[in-house]
Amino acid sequence: MSKKTDSNVYTIIFAIAMVIVVGGLLAFTASALRPRIDNNERLEKQQNILYAMGVNANDESSAVFVSTAEAPELFSKYITKQLVIQAGEVSEDENAYLIDVKKEQASAKAGNARRLPLFVGNKDGKTFYIAPIRGKGLWDAIWAYVAMDENMVVQGAYFDHKGETAGLGANIKQRYFMDDFIGESLMSNGEFKGITVAKGNNDPKNERKDDNKVDAIAGATITGDGVTAMLKSELKQYVPYFENLKNN
């Protein structure tokens, strides 16, 4: 006669019990860590916004955020307004930086009016307008924070990704790539054109700032195309705000 523990019923009951126990532990851990995770996400967004407008700890070649300890104070110091643009209306919201761009994109696809966050910063007497944007790279999501002046000329940018290839597409978050965007205009002859990450641009030092182009990363064509598409589709939605800004 076999032992009860050798039966299929026992195995099934044991497996179910383990799933319940492990699932409960994971749920508890996730719940316990949620406040810390949320706080880290808030700090990271503040660091990204500050980085784009030039408030960072960069050395000669590396991209370095201000510390998480400094971020809240510096964010309050340099960001003078947090705006939300929706269906042509502009409102202030002190928590606009917490808006989930991915969720807003999904909401817009479902036919809802998308909320577009825009952060107004001031540094050394100069005004910056920082927009958070999101797109698709080769393997997964890419995103950026782009700082512009009132003419939609880029003043700084921070790019990041979820899963681009190391040494290739992942290099969009390297300073040599991000700094190329500084001084590039998103407009051309009064019309929005965006910025193209172009192969064969033949401008390695990025000295031409009136061509709406930056040099591509070698071996990362699809990621570069994703950056181009992201910049064009996402930042175009802010054009009405800047047009209104000029007229007032």
Side-chain angles (χ1 to χ4, degrees):
M1 183 175 178
S2 62
K3 296 180 181 179
K4 290 182 179 179
T5 55
D6 292 334
S7 70
N8 290 335
V9 173
Y10 177 86
T11 302
I12 293 171
I13 292 174
F14 179 78
I16 292 173
M18 288 302 297
V19 168
I20 292 171
V21 171
V22 173
L25 287 172
L26 290 174
F28 173 78
T29 302
S31 177
L33 292 177
R34 191 72 254 174
R36 181 179 296 180
I37 293 170
D38 289 344
N39 186 55
N40 288 340
E41 289 177 352
R42 285 193 290 269
L43 291 172
E44 183 178 4
K45 287 184 177 182
Q46 291 178 346
Q47 289 173 312
N48 289 171
I49 293 165
L50 290 168
Y51 185 96
M53 66 173 289
V55 181
N56 51 53
N58 287 353
D59 57 24
E60 291 184 0
S61 60
S62 302
V64 184
F65 290 137
V66 297
S67 70
T68 54
E70 297 174 298
E73 181 180 351
L74 293 174
F75 191 79
S76 296
K77 176 182 178 180
Y78 288 106
I79 300 301
T80 58
K81 289 182 183 178
Q82 295 189 58
L83 305 177
V84 177
I85 305 166
Q86 186 174 30
E89 299 295 324
V90 181
S91 60
E92 290 194 39
D93 184 343
E94 64 180 9
N95 290 313
Y97 75 103
L98 297 178
I99 289 176
D100 189 320
V101 175
K102 180 181 179 180
K103 289 182 179 178
E104 290 301 317
Q105 289 175 329
S107 179
K109 286 182 180 179
N112 301 312
R114 179 176 168 181
R115 294 183 300 165
L116 297 168
L118 185 67
F119 313 102
V120 183
N122 189 282
K123 176 173 173 275
D124 299 329
K126 185 175 182 177
T127 302
F128 299 80
Y129 302 86
I130 305 101
I133 59 177
R134 187 179 179 89
K136 179 73 170 65
L138 172 60
W139 303 113
D140 213 317
I142 56 175
W143 56 90
Y145 289 79
V146 181
M148 301 163 277
D149 66 11
E150 65 278 6
N151 297 309
M152 295 194 82
V153 175
V154 176
Q155 304 301 303
Y158 179 75
F159 291 93
D160 208 342
H161 65 94
K162 187 174 181 181
E164 298 307 284
T165 306
L168 298 174
N171 285 349
I172 61 171
K173 64 184 296 183
Q174 296 298 319
R175 272 197 64 189
Y176 76 84
F177 179 74
M178 297 190 292
D179 288 356
D180 271 0
F181 288 84
I182 298 173
E184 292 284 346
S185 178
L186 291 154
M187 308 295 290
S188 180
N189 297 320
E191 294 184 2
F192 181 84
K193 190 173 181 180
I195 299 172
T196 298
V197 179
K199 287 182 67 177
N201 189 35
N202 297 320
D203 185 19
K205 294 184 178 180
N206 197 39
E207 295 173 339
R208 296 196 304 272
K209 296 294 183 180
D210 58 354
D211 58 356
N212 301 93
K213 294 179 181 179
V214 299
D215 270 13
I217 298 171
T221 300
I222 296 177
T223 303
D225 289 345
V227 171
T228 297
M230 174 176 66
L231 292 168
K232 291 185 176 182
S233 64
E234 292 284 280
L235 294 178
K236 186 175 183 178
Q237 298 181 75
Y238 289 89
V239 172
Y241 172 84
F242 286 96
E243 289 178 342
N244 187 58
L245 192 65
K246 283 184 179 181
N247 294 329
N248 291 332

